[in-house]
Amino acid sequence: AEHLDFKGQEGSVQWYQENDGEAANFTLKLRYASKDKKSLRPMDLYVNNKNIGQVKFNHTGGWDIWREVEIKAPLLAGANDIELRTVGKSGPNISSLTVEYATGP
């Protein structure tokens, strides 16, 4: 399967997300793999160039053992740009981003 491997380097990954409804909070589900026991390989999450916070990626047991981490983020009506940027610790392997309407607070 195709996935992004930072190979110990720094960088970023971007997604374009069209929101057909109103501006609201959504759940972003990132499918990732990490075998780094020493670092959570944190990455800054930006939505429409606004820093939403940091995502931490727990060790999954292998570079090909996939888990999901969920982050709530506000999306605008219409076009949205979602980006993860490394912060000096590289990043995990990233397989996919799923965006779902957030229920609850």
Side-chain angles (χ1 to χ4, degrees), residues 12-104:
S12 64
V13 57
Q14 274 183 293
W15 293 271
Y16 172 81
Q17 180 67 36
E18 187 74 33
N19 173 18
D20 295 332
E22 302 285 313
N25 277 332
F26 285 78
T27 301
L28 310 184
K29 293 183 177 183
L30 284 157
R31 189 168 181 264
Y32 77 97
S34 175
K35 198 180 175 181
D36 193 338
K37 291 181 177 165
K38 296 183 185 145
S39 170
L40 293 176
R41 296 201 175 207
M43 295 183 77
D44 281 342
L45 174 67
Y46 289 82
V47 176
N48 301 315
N49 280 323
K50 184 177 170 196
N51 190 331
I52 301 299
Q54 203 164 75
V55 184
K56 294 179 174 69
F57 299 93
N58 288 312
H59 179 283
T60 62
W63 291 112
D64 55 358
I65 299 172
W66 302 96
R67 300 273 184 271
E68 274 190 347
V69 61
E70 294 187 2
I71 317 101
K72 284 203 177 9
L75 295 186
L76 303 172
N80 288 272
D81 183 52
I82 300 167
E83 183 179 13
L84 281 173
R85 299 179 192 168
T86 60
V87 293
K89 307 270 189 189
S90 189
N93 289 353
I94 296 175
S95 164
S96 64
L97 168 71
T98 305
V99 178
E100 294 178 358
Y101 189 73
T103 52

